[in-house]
């Protein structure tokens, strides 16, 4: 009698273990690269440095991302869903209405976690095509978020007024102002949230004024 051994369960187990190891290595690489993007300028980030910080071999990094631009794209793809989890995805957001506290809370959580790396991408966008792609995508996502959050304010307006208000709100809710308040002026998170809320309220109030109001007229120097 010939006995056969079913090797399928052990093969499946090995495949699953390899997949888990691959996933774990990929996450270590992306996490290490994210840390380096915050700590260093793009020109001082190398694939060997990523491999060393991640605790994997250089060839593992190369297999996962290929090049530095590939690394940027991989990190961006890893971060975007996490950003959506903190700030909210435009497609899932309900208009803010009068809930400015909820808006500024989402902004605070988003920028406290992702503000520095967002700033890095914006400031270094000319260093590589992938960084430019990331910066442009970030701007589009931010504008879409603003338009979703403040839809109740924006939608009733004629096109020119709508664009004006959306631009103001995008600036007030942007990472640059948040970092000025938190880092340059040393405001607490609560104080920075209050400042953003005040500025958002001012923008919304300005948009509700009659078109003939003096507040809508551009200031001209005398003489």
């Amino acid at each position: 009698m010939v006995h056969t051994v079913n090797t399928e369960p052990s093969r499946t187990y090995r495949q699953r273990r390899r997949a888990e190891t691959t996933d774990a290595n990929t996450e270590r690489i992306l996490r290490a690269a994210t840390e380096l993007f915050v700590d260093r300028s793009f020109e001082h980030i190398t694939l060997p440095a990523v491999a060393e910080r991640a605790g994997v071999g250089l060839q593992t990094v190369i297999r996962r991302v290929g090049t530095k631009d590939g690394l940027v794209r991989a990190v961006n793809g890893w971060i975007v869903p996490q950003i959506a989890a903190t700030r909210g995805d435009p497609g899932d957001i309900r208009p803010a209405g009068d809930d400015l506290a909820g808006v500024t809370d989402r902004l605070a959580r988003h920028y406290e976690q992702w503000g520095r790396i967002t700033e890095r991408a914006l400031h270094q966008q000319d260093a590589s095509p992938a960084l430019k792609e990331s910066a442009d995508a970030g701007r589009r996502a931010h504008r879409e978020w603003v338009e979703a959050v403040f839809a109740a304010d924006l939608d009733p307006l004629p096109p020119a007024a709508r664009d004006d208000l959306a631009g103001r709100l995008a600036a007030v809710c942007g990472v640059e102002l948040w970092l000025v308040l938190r880092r340059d002026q040393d405001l607490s998170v609560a104080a920075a949230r209050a400042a953003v809320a005040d500025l958002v309220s001012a923008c919304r109030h300005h948009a509700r004024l009659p078109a003939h109001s003096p507040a809508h007229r551009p200031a001209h120097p005398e003489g």
Side-chain angles (χ1 to χ4, degrees), residues 100 103-104 107 172-174 177-178 181 191-202:
L100 277 184
V103 173
T104 57
L107 285 174
V172 167
C173 295
L177 176 60
W178 185 263
L181 295 171
R193 286 178 57 189
V196 171
D198 287 346
L199 292 168
V200 167
S201 296

Side-chain angles (χ1 to χ4, degrees), residues 13-210:
Y13 174 78
R14 289 195 301 271
Q15 290 171 342
R16 186 171 65 248
R17 290 288 294 173
R18 280 197 297 269
E20 290 171 353
T21 300
T22 297
D23 290 344
N25 284 342
T26 298
E27 181 164 350
R28 280 197 292 269
I29 290 166
L30 297 176
R31 192 177 302 278
T34 300
E35 294 170 357
L36 287 172
F37 281 130
V38 172
D39 294 341
R40 305 180 186 180
S41 62
F42 184 71
E43 63 184 16
H44 293 128
I45 296 172
T46 64
L47 296 186
V50 173
E52 180 179 1
R53 182 167 295 206
V56 301
L58 175 59
Q59 289 305 313
T60 299
V61 174
I62 293 172
R63 282 196 299 271
R64 298 292 187 279
V65 301
T67 64
K68 280 178 66 173
D69 269 357
L71 181 67
V72 172
R73 294 185 179 103
V75 168
N76 193 55
W78 184 62
I79 285 175
V80 166
Q82 299 179 63
I83 288 176
T86 54
R87 184 181 61 185
D89 187 280
D92 299 328
I93 288 174
R94 298 174 62 184
D98 293 324
D99 184 23
L100 277 184
V103 173
T104 57
D105 180 61
R106 288 198 295 273
L107 285 174
R109 284 187 281 113
H110 168 52
Y111 289 140
E112 288 299 295
Q113 183 171 359
W114 303 110
R116 289 182 63 196
I117 195 167
T118 301
E119 181 188 40
R120 281 283 196 184
L122 293 173
H123 286 182
Q124 300 185 95
Q125 60 184 302
D126 294 331
S128 86
L131 282 174
K132 182 67 165 61
E133 292 168 11
S134 177
D136 288 344
R139 290 189 188 95
R140 288 193 300 271
H142 180 62
R143 178 70 177 231
E144 290 169 2
W145 184 87
V146 166
E147 291 178 348
V149 168
F150 298 105
D153 299 279
L154 295 167
D155 291 348
L157 298 175
R162 186 184 190 281
D163 285 345
D164 179 81
L165 178 57
R168 293 175 186 230
L169 291 171
V172 167
C173 295
V175 65
E176 295 90 346
L177 176 60
W178 185 263
L179 291 177
V180 167
L181 295 171
R182 289 282 290 127
R183 183 177 61 199
D184 300 350
Q185 301 305 316
D186 200 27
L187 267 63
S188 66
V189 171
R193 286 178 57 189
V196 171
D198 287 346
L199 292 168
V200 167
S201 296
C203 291
R204 298 167 84 190
H205 174 71
H206 180 273
R208 296 187 187 112
L209 294 174

